[in-house]
């Protein structure tokens, strides 16, 4: 982003939208770098969970009218205030010893009578009912304690959150956790407690807790927990940012670079505009100079361009050609800008373009028409990184060089190569007159027959079926070699009886080839077989040649040309 060309072009574009100054972003970056490796997560805030089944039970029981015991009111009032103490004492009382469980003194008759009254009351419906309602009160008071604890917990989380966003996570600095207001919810619970306490004072009185009270309480609980859920989401988000602090770091560094980019645009805008203006003036003058020069070279330029286009057409047809005006490559009808070609062309394609220029550049080497007859081409291993199909095409260009450069009356060239296949194609297509191999410091004749056994075998069977040639002891082996080569060419990964499969799939009407090549090409013979006549050989050779004519007509045409 901060490369010279980007800054240079940036004055014509909108600047980046940055929400902070450079110094603020640097401060944020330093915060992010200071995050401890094992920084703890901020814990989630617990929610209040009111038991509305219990609340409905309280509502129903408050509505009921319970019968009172027959004991005196003042006696019952004493027990109500100390019911738990009395119940505990009676539970601990030893019925045999009749000793007080607290002071361990022997109980007299009056004390025993009083205990009987206690027991009678505690077993009474009134006592059990009061006990139940006191348990209700205890449960409701626990809710109030829970509310207070949640409020304290929420306050702690707010403090932790504010610390994290201020010290470590600047992208969360605008986020605020919500505080909790427990007063309204607590007051609603307290009102229910007050109703239950009124019921304890007089259990035969009906106390009405309305549906609206409980519905309002449920709504308040939902709103209360909604605030907690919202806070928990923000807590989870900041924890995730902490765990992925690398992403926060990367994002902040990008913002710093954008801020620096904007600053450079502002700082150098006037200078860049001056440079652009000077460049435009230079281009105008340079174009004028170039046009005057090209007017003097127009004839040669047209010849060079035409030749390069012709050579490129051999390889690429319409995929690549030449923009004759700017001498730039055209790819799929689009003229490539400067430096684009190196990113689009493969290494092999680059070598093809270089070879095309090598041929086209010939016109710049001559001063007059007679110079064309003095040309001698030295071509040094031009096929580096090329697909093999392009190797064939390049050989065709060499073959047709006098057609491509029409003023050339005779071709003279020296071709040097390390590539055996390139040499084979040149030799087998009679493109070169003399074939030499450098071996152990000496030049010896290049034996082309050893490099092209397939085409020699094909010419042998072509001669038998089309030129009245005579079958020999090698004919069966030639047929086998041809089938094996076709098999491997069309299906590289083959196992088992690949020859038999190839004949079965591709030469469906053939009935003799497999037997012939399987027996005679290995020297075997079964006595029960009938002798194979010359007519059988001719028929089998014709079958193979017809198959090749259908799939690879060029191979048969080549044999036709060689076997004249």
């Amino acid at each position: 982003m901060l490369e010279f060309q980007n800054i240079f072009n940036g004055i014509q574009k909108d600047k980046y939208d940055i929400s902070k100054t450079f110094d603020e972003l640097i401060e944020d970056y330093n915060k992010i770098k200071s995050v401890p490796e094992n920084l703890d997560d901020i814990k989630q805030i617990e929610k209040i969970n009111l038991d509305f089944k219990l609340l409905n039970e309280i509502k129903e029981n408050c509505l009921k009218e319970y019968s009172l015991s027959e004991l005196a009111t003042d006696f019952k009032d004493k027990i109500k205030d100390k019911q738990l103490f009395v119940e505990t004492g009676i539970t601990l009382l030893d019925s045999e010893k009749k000793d007080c469980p607290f002071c361990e003194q022997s109980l007299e008759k009056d004390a025993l009578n009083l205990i009987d009254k206690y027991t009678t009351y505690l077993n009474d419906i009134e006592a059990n009912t009061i006990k139940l309602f006191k348990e209700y009160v205890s449960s409701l008071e626990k809710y109030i304690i829970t509310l207070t604890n949640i409020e304290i917990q929420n306050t702690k989380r707010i403090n932790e959150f504010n610390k994290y966003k201020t010290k470590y996570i600047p992208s969360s600095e605008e986020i605020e956790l919500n505080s909790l207001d427990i007063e309204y919810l607590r007051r609603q619970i307290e009102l229910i407690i007050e109703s239950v306490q009124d019921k304890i004072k007089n259990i035969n009185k009906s106390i009405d807790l309305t549906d609206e009270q409980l519905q309002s309480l449920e709504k308040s609980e939902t709103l209360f927990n909604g605030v907690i859920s919202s806070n928990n989401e923000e807590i989870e988000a900041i924890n995730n940012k902490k765990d992925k602090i690398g992403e926060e770091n990367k994002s902040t560094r990008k913002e710093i670079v954008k801020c620096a980019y904007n600053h450079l645009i502002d700082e150098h805008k006037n200078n860049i505009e001056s440079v652009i203006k000077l460049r435009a003036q230079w281009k105008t003058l340079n174009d004028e100079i170039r046009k005057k020069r090209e007017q003097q070279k127009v004839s040669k330029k047209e010849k060079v361009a035409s030749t390069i286009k012709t050579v490129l057409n051999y390889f690429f047809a319409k995929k690549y050609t030449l923009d004759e005006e700017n001498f730039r490559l055209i790819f799929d009808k689009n003229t490539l800008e400067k430096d684009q070609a190196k990113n689009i062309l493969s290494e092999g394609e680059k070598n093809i373009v270089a070879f095309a220029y090598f041929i086209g550049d010939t016109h710049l080497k001559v001063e007059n028409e007679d110079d064309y007859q003095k040309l001698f081409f030295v071509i040094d291993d031009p096929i580096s990184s090329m697909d093999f199909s392009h190797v064939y095409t390049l050989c065709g260009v060499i073959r047709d060089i006098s057609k491509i450069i029409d003023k050339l009356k005779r071709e003279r060239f020296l071709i040097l190569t390390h590539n055996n296949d390139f040499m084979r194609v040149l030799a087998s297509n009679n493109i070169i007159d003399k074939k030499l191999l450098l071996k152990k410091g000496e030049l010896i004749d290049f034996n082309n027959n050893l490099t092209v056994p397939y085409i020699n075998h094909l010419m042998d069977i072509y001669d038998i079926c089309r030129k009245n040639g005579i079958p020999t002891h090698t004919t069966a082996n030639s047929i086998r070699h041809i089938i094996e080569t076709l098999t491997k060419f069309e299906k590289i990964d083959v196992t088992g009886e690949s020859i038999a499969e190839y004949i079965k799939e591709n030469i469906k009407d053939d009935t003799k080839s497999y037997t012939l090549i399987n027996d005679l090409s290995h020297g075997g013979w079964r006595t029960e077989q009938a002798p194979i006549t010359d007519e059988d050989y001719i028929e089998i050779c014709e079958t193979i040649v017809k198959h090749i004519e259908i799939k690879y007509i060029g191979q048969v045409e080549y044999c036709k040309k060689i076997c004249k």
Side-chain angles (χ1 to χ4, degrees):
M1 183 183 293
L2 296 181
E3 292 177 354
F4 165 77
Q5 198 59 48
N6 290 334
I7 303 299
F8 197 87
N9 296 333
I11 65 166
Q12 299 171 349
K13 301 175 183 177
D14 292 335
K15 291 190 295 184
Y16 289 103
D17 185 18
I18 304 295
S19 59
K20 294 185 176 182
T21 66
F22 183 83
D23 290 339
E24 288 172 336
L25 289 168
I26 292 296
E27 185 180 348
D28 288 348
Y29 178 65
N30 290 329
K31 288 178 182 178
I32 293 166
K33 288 200 302 180
S34 70
V35 175
E37 274 191 32
N38 299 315
L39 186 63
D40 292 333
D41 281 352
I42 301 175
K43 294 181 180 178
Q44 296 274 297
I45 305 162
E46 295 177 14
K47 295 180 181 179
I48 188 73
N49 187 17
L50 300 177
D51 186 351
F52 282 92
K53 183 178 179 182
L54 174 65
L55 290 168
N56 279 299
E57 179 185 315
I58 293 171
K59 173 180 176 296
E60 292 174 5
N61 287 337
C62 281
L63 200 60
K64 291 180 183 178
E65 297 178 1
Y66 294 91
S67 57
L68 300 175
S69 67
E70 295 178 357
L71 295 172
T73 300
D74 58 345
F75 176 77
K76 288 188 288 185
D77 289 340
K78 290 179 181 179
I79 295 178
K80 287 177 185 177
D81 291 336
K82 304 173 184 177
Q83 185 168 331
L84 180 60
F85 176 80
V86 173
E87 285 182 350
T88 303
I90 291 174
T91 303
L92 297 173
L93 185 64
D94 189 333
S95 58
E96 293 182 0
K97 294 181 180 180
K98 300 298 181 183
D99 292 334
C100 176
F102 299 108
C103 66
E104 296 183 350
Q105 295 182 18
S106 178
L107 298 173
E108 301 298 331
K109 183 177 180 181
D110 288 343
L112 292 172
N113 288 336
L114 181 60
I115 289 170
D116 287 340
K117 284 185 179 182
Y118 284 155
T119 304
T120 299
Y121 175 75
L122 292 175
N123 290 330
D124 189 80
I125 291 175
E126 182 179 359
N128 288 329
T129 301
I130 290 171
K131 179 181 177 182
L132 174 64
F133 279 99
K134 284 185 175 181
E135 290 173 356
Y136 289 158
V137 170
S138 176
S139 296
L140 293 169
E141 286 174 342
K142 286 178 182 177
Y143 285 140
I144 293 176
I145 293 171
T146 300
L147 276 176
T148 303
N149 290 337
I150 290 174
E151 183 184 34
I152 294 169
Q153 188 183 106
N154 188 71
T155 301
K156 287 182 178 179
R157 299 296 181 269
I158 290 173
N159 292 335
E160 286 180 273
F161 188 91
N162 290 340
K163 175 185 174 183
Y164 277 37
K165 75 177 187 180
T166 302
K167 287 188 67 175
Y168 306 125
I169 316 291
S171 64
S172 295
E173 62 187 10
E174 300 298 326
I175 299 170
E176 298 288 343
L177 296 189
N178 297 305
S179 58
L180 291 174
D181 183 4
I182 68 169
E183 293 306 317
Y184 184 65
L185 188 54
R186 176 164 59 189
R187 183 56 190 152
Q188 287 178 298
I189 297 171
E190 287 174 345
L191 288 173
I192 296 174
I193 291 174
E194 290 173 7
S195 295
V196 174
Q197 288 173 336
D198 286 344
K199 185 68 174 179
I200 291 171
K201 291 176 183 176
N202 189 358
I203 64 171
N204 72 337
K205 178 183 176 183
S206 178
I207 303 293
D208 187 11
L209 291 174
T210 65
D211 290 336
E212 287 75 15
Q213 266 184 283
L214 298 186
Q215 289 170 1
S216 177
L217 183 62
E218 186 173 10
K219 183 178 179 181
S220 297
E221 180 198 38
T222 301
L223 294 173
F224 185 83
N225 285 336
V227 174
I228 293 173
S229 294
S230 176
N231 284 352
N232 283 339
E233 286 177 8
E234 297 298 345
I235 289 171
E236 183 178 5
I238 203 169
N239 285 337
N240 287 334
K241 288 180 180 179
K242 172 185 68 68
D243 294 337
K244 299 177 181 178
I245 197 64
E247 294 179 10
E248 182 101 356
N249 184 304
K250 184 177 179 181
S251 175
T252 302
R253 284 190 286 116
K254 282 184 177 180
E255 291 297 298
I256 291 172
V257 172
K258 289 177 181 178
C259 195
Y261 173 89
N262 288 349
H263 172 74
L264 289 171
I265 294 293
D266 292 337
E267 186 78 10
H268 300 288
K269 184 175 182 180
N270 292 336
N271 291 334
I272 292 172
E273 287 175 343
S274 297
V275 171
I276 291 173
K277 185 177 179 181
L278 289 172
R279 281 185 175 181
Q281 293 171 352
W282 172 86
K283 186 177 185 305
T284 301
L285 293 173
N286 189 61
D287 287 345
E288 291 176 2
I289 294 170
R290 183 171 55 83
K291 284 178 182 178
K292 289 179 180 180
R293 286 177 177 173
E294 287 177 355
Q295 285 170 359
Q296 299 172 357
K297 297 182 180 179
V298 65
S299 177
K300 283 190 176 183
K301 177 182 175 182
E302 289 174 355
K303 289 178 182 178
V304 171
S306 175
T307 301
I308 292 174
K309 287 177 69 175
T310 300
V311 176
L312 290 176
N313 192 57
Y314 267 75
F315 290 92
F316 303 123
K318 295 181 180 179
K319 180 181 178 183
Y320 292 111
T321 186
L322 186 70
D323 179 346
E324 296 183 34
E325 180 66 25
N326 300 307
F327 257 71
R328 289 183 178 173
L329 278 182
I330 297 175
F331 171 58
D332 284 342
K333 299 181 181 180
N334 296 310
T335 300
L336 299 181
E337 295 297 325
K338 186 178 180 181
D339 295 332
Q340 274 190 307
K342 67 180 181 182
N343 297 322
I344 293 176
L345 272 65
S346 67
E347 290 303 315
E349 289 173 334
K350 290 175 185 176
N351 287 333
I352 290 170
V353 173
F355 181 73
Y357 183 80
F358 166 74
I359 300 299
D361 191 53
T362 302
H363 298 289
L364 301 180
K365 301 292 188 291
V366 300
E367 296 296 331
N368 53 60
E369 295 291 318
D370 292 338
D371 286 345
Y372 280 101
Q373 310 317 315
K374 301 175 185 178
L375 288 172
F376 189 98
F377 295 90
V378 179
I379 305 172
D380 185 11
D381 226 352
I383 63 166
S384 177
S385 302
M386 284 188 196
D387 293 340
F388 200 69
S389 60
H390 287 155
V391 173
Y392 275 104
T393 305
L394 189 139
C395 292
V397 171
I398 296 172
R399 179 195 63 208
D400 296 343
I401 198 165
S402 61
K403 297 178 183 177
I404 296 169
I405 302 176
D406 58 1
K407 297 184 183 296
L408 195 66
K409 301 304 179 186
R410 62 173 180 160
E411 311 96 339
R412 292 184 299 172
F413 45 75
L414 172 66
I415 301 176
L416 306 171
T417 183
H418 295 87
N419 190 291
N420 192 59
D421 287 326
F422 179 38
M423 184 68 172
R424 173 182 62 76
V425 176
L426 291 169
S428 61
N429 286 278
N430 297 323
I431 295 172
I432 53 178
D433 296 324
K434 187 67 176 175
K435 301 162 284 186
L436 297 173
L437 176 67
L438 181 62
K439 185 175 182 181
K440 296 182 179 180
E442 294 184 6
L443 287 173
I444 60 174
D445 287 335
F446 180 77
N447 186 355
N448 193 47
N449 290 332
L450 297 179
T451 66
V452 284
Y454 170 81
I455 198 66
N456 288 326
H457 284 307
L458 182 59
M459 285 193 292
D460 284 346
I461 70 166
Y462 178 85
D463 183 64
I464 291 169
C465 66
R466 299 287 173 88
K467 294 293 182 178
N468 299 319
I470 299 173
T472 69
H473 63 285
T474 65
T475 302
N477 196 56
S478 291
I479 295 170
R480 182 182 188 91
H481 179 89
I482 290 167
I483 297 295
E484 284 181 333
T485 302
L486 291 173
T487 301
K488 291 174 182 176
F489 177 72
E490 294 186 10
K491 190 176 182 182
I492 293 173
D493 183 18
V494 293
T495 55
E497 293 293 331
S498 57
I499 294 177
E501 291 177 8
Y502 186 89
I503 292 173
K504 183 178 179 181
E505 292 175 5
N506 295 278
I507 316 175
K508 300 184 186 301
D509 297 330
D510 178 65
T511 58
K512 299 178 181 179
S513 297
Y514 182 68
T515 301
L516 173 68
I517 63 180
N518 201 44
D519 290 341
L520 294 187
S521 67
H522 289 301
W525 183 260
R526 295 199 298 273
T527 56
E528 67 273 14
Q529 288 181 216
I532 297 179
T533 66
D534 286 354
E535 287 74 17
D536 292 329
Y537 273 112
I538 293 169
E539 180 186 343
I540 294 170
C541 289
E542 180 65 25
T543 300
I544 300 300
V545 170
K546 281 183 177 178
H547 169 67
I548 294 173
E549 272 183 320
I550 293 171
K551 303 192 77 172
Y552 312 108
I553 182 64
Q555 296 180 12
V556 178
E557 291 296 325
Y558 177 79
C559 292
K560 199 180 293 185
K561 182 172 68 174
I562 298 299
C563 297
K564 286 182 179 178

